[in-house]
Amino acid sequence: MKKVIVTLVALMTATVWIGTQASPETDRAAFEKFFTQKFPNTPTADFVNGVYSIHAPSRAQWEEIEEFPPYELSIDAGKTEWNKAFANGKTYADCFENEGAVRGSYPYWDSDRKEVITLELAVNECRTANGEEPLKYSKGKMADISAYMSYQSRGQEINVVIPDDADAMAAYDRGKEFFYSKRGQLNFSCFDCHGGGAGSMVRADTLSPAYGHTSHFPVYRSKWGGMGTLHRRFGGCNKQVRAKPFKSQSPIYRELEYFLTYMNNGLVYNGPGARK
Amino acid sequence: MLKKISKIFIPAIAVLSLSGCASLSASEEFTAAWDAADAARKDAAAVGYEWRDTGKILGKAKAAADEGDMENAMKLVAKAQEQSADAMVQQKRESELWKTRVPQ
């Protein structure tokens, strides 16, 4: 009997270990399956619409809001910034191709620098390379530029690549661990709320599914009364579970973005968005 | 006369000195406890698990101590210390347990 128990425990441990050692593509397929099984009435492509893909009453309100989208002013402001010359006469167009329609190329792993590069990080690196001050990462002008570039990129397929590079895989794994780990005084993981808890109510709101989460940022949030980037939202979620948030564009948030965006491979970018 | 004055003043000076020492001791005790709690907070931060309010609680503890409310100050320090200890337990537990939540 003891041998049987020991064998069973060993098998269970091995199963868990094999599960966590899965390739990113195996992870992604299981992630997609989890959400498509949990919400069988939601077409896969519709998960890019977040909570509105699973909650009809909220969707009806959102469709009304989309008649006059609150993020439109931010796109316009971002376009103005995009066209404004830096002090050296150059513009963002000297850093980014295709009139800024490059959201589909981010985030990516930079093998030389050994780090994840996000669009917002690249925007600031463009600025500093041209002698401009960097922008704050969570809102304001950064959210405007990001909104403009996201709008330009609408419809691009999400296709994050994890190259055959142990450091890239380690960054992906750190993002994955962060996503599934409980933290803060309330002891919640990202997945607790936006995986197992997706579709449940938190006070008056329905929790959105994580599948598709990174497609529609930056967003105009009614709660914020303005625009915010994906990392602003990461920080907000951490605060809500009473964990000390990390800084926007900190390495761990970039790695979380890397993992989470990889999970959305095959969906399309549809930002900027409007959320409650 | 001198003897009479000594009888009154020497104990009074002793009491005042002792109360001064007691106050200093409480302050020292608070500083040591606060430093230990802040070090524990930094340990939790170093592994990415600092809780949202721990730093604020330590700030409130300092404010209470500055106002002379040592009882409340020490209570707040103990609360912050406990939060950081719990955060470290959480980090240790989650370093393995997160794997069980990954969809298969």
Side-chain angles (χ1 to χ4, degrees), chain A residues 191-257:
Chain A
F191 188 72
D192 284 339
C193 288
H194 298 289
S200 305
M201 299 289 287
V202 171
R203 295 184 180 158
D205 293 318
T206 306
L207 288 164
S208 58
Y211 187 43
H213 255 175
T214 60
S215 70
H216 45 265
F217 278 83
V219 298
Y220 180 96
R221 275 192 92 200
S222 309
K223 182 182 170 181
W224 292 335
M227 298 291 294
T229 59
L230 179 64
H231 289 208
R232 183 180 181 187
R233 192 70 194 94
F234 285 165
C237 277
N238 281 167
K239 274 192 249 177
Q240 282 171 324
V241 300
R242 298 187 193 169
K244 184 164 183 186
F246 293 83
K247 286 185 176 168
S248 289
Q249 298 302 322
S250 57
I252 192 62
Y253 275 179
R254 280 187 275 140
E255 289 166 355
L256 176 62
E257 180 176 340

Side-chain angles (χ1 to χ4, degrees), chain A residues 54-65:
Chain A
I54 61 164
H55 191 249
S58 299
R59 188 183 188 103
Q61 291 173 16
W62 169 66
E63 283 172 351
E64 293 277 327
I65 289 169

Side-chain angles (χ1 to χ4, degrees), chain A residues 9-261:
Chain A
V9 169
L11 275 172
M12 284 165 72
T13 309
T15 307
V16 168
W17 186 84
I18 288 164
T20 55
Q21 294 299 309
S23 72
E25 187 44 35
T26 307
D27 282 346
R28 198 210 60 74
F31 196 84
E32 179 183 339
K33 188 176 150 201
F34 176 88
F35 287 100
T36 51
Q37 284 185 346
K38 189 172 173 70
F39 302 105
N41 298 324
T42 299
T44 303
D46 202 45
F47 277 99
V48 295
N49 294 317
V51 71
Y52 308 123
S53 68
I54 61 164
H55 191 249
S58 299
R59 188 183 188 103
Q61 291 173 16
W62 169 66
E63 283 172 351
E64 293 277 327
I65 289 169
E66 282 285 324
E67 296 282 323
F68 299 98
Y71 50 75
E72 225 167 36
L73 291 173
S74 180
I75 296 173
D76 290 344
K79 187 178 181 181
T80 304
E81 282 296 311
W82 177 268
N83 290 319
K84 198 159 73 182
F86 299 138
N88 65 2
K90 292 190 175 180
T91 68
Y92 287 108
D94 289 291
C95 301
F96 300 99
E97 296 174 341
N98 204 14
E99 277 302 297
V102 294
R103 175 65 78 176
S105 305
Y106 295 88
Y108 70 89
W109 176 255
D110 187 318
S111 296
D112 295 327
R113 292 168 57 177
K114 303 279 182 204
E115 62 179 329
V116 174
I117 308 297
T118 62
L119 180 62
E120 286 78 11
L121 188 79
V123 164
N124 260 354
E125 289 184 347
C126 173
R127 293 181 61 83
T128 51
N130 285 290
E132 299 291 318
E133 287 292 315
L135 301 172
K136 288 185 178 173
Y137 279 117
S138 294
K139 52 188 178 180
K141 281 185 183 176
M142 177 59 81
D144 292 339
I145 284 284
S146 179
Y148 172 70
M149 294 173 83
S150 288
Y151 185 70
Q152 293 287 89
S153 312
R154 275 188 174 181
Q156 290 181 352
E157 188 175 321
I158 300 172
N159 184 29
V160 175
V161 175
I162 315 290
D164 186 15
D165 176 330
D167 292 315
M169 194 62 204
Y172 167 88
D173 280 338
R174 283 191 294 271
K176 179 178 167 183
E177 179 174 349
F178 190 98
F179 182 77
Y180 290 107
S181 297
K182 290 177 186 286
R183 59 187 63 246
Q185 192 179 3
L186 300 188
N187 201 37
F188 278 103
S189 69
C190 305
F191 188 72
D192 284 339
C193 288
H194 298 289
S200 305
M201 299 289 287
V202 171
R203 295 184 180 158
D205 293 318
T206 306
L207 288 164
S208 58
Y211 187 43
H213 255 175
T214 60
S215 70
H216 45 265
F217 278 83
V219 298
Y220 180 96
R221 275 192 92 200
S222 309
K223 182 182 170 181
W224 292 335
M227 298 291 294
T229 59
L230 179 64
H231 289 208
R232 183 180 181 187
R233 192 70 194 94
F234 285 165
C237 277
N238 281 167
K239 274 192 249 177
Q240 282 171 324
V241 300
R242 298 187 193 169
K244 184 164 183 186
F246 293 83
K247 286 185 176 168
S248 289
Q249 298 302 322
S250 57
I252 192 62
Y253 275 179
R254 280 187 275 140
E255 289 166 355
L256 176 62
E257 180 176 340
Y258 192 46
F259 163 75
L260 203 48
T261 312

Side-chain angles (χ1 to χ4, degrees), chain B residues 45-61:
Chain B
V47 291
Y49 271 75
E50 182 182 352
W51 288 4
R52 184 190 68 184
D53 300 333
T54 312
K56 290 179 202 164
I57 293 167
L58 284 170
K60 283 181 185 171

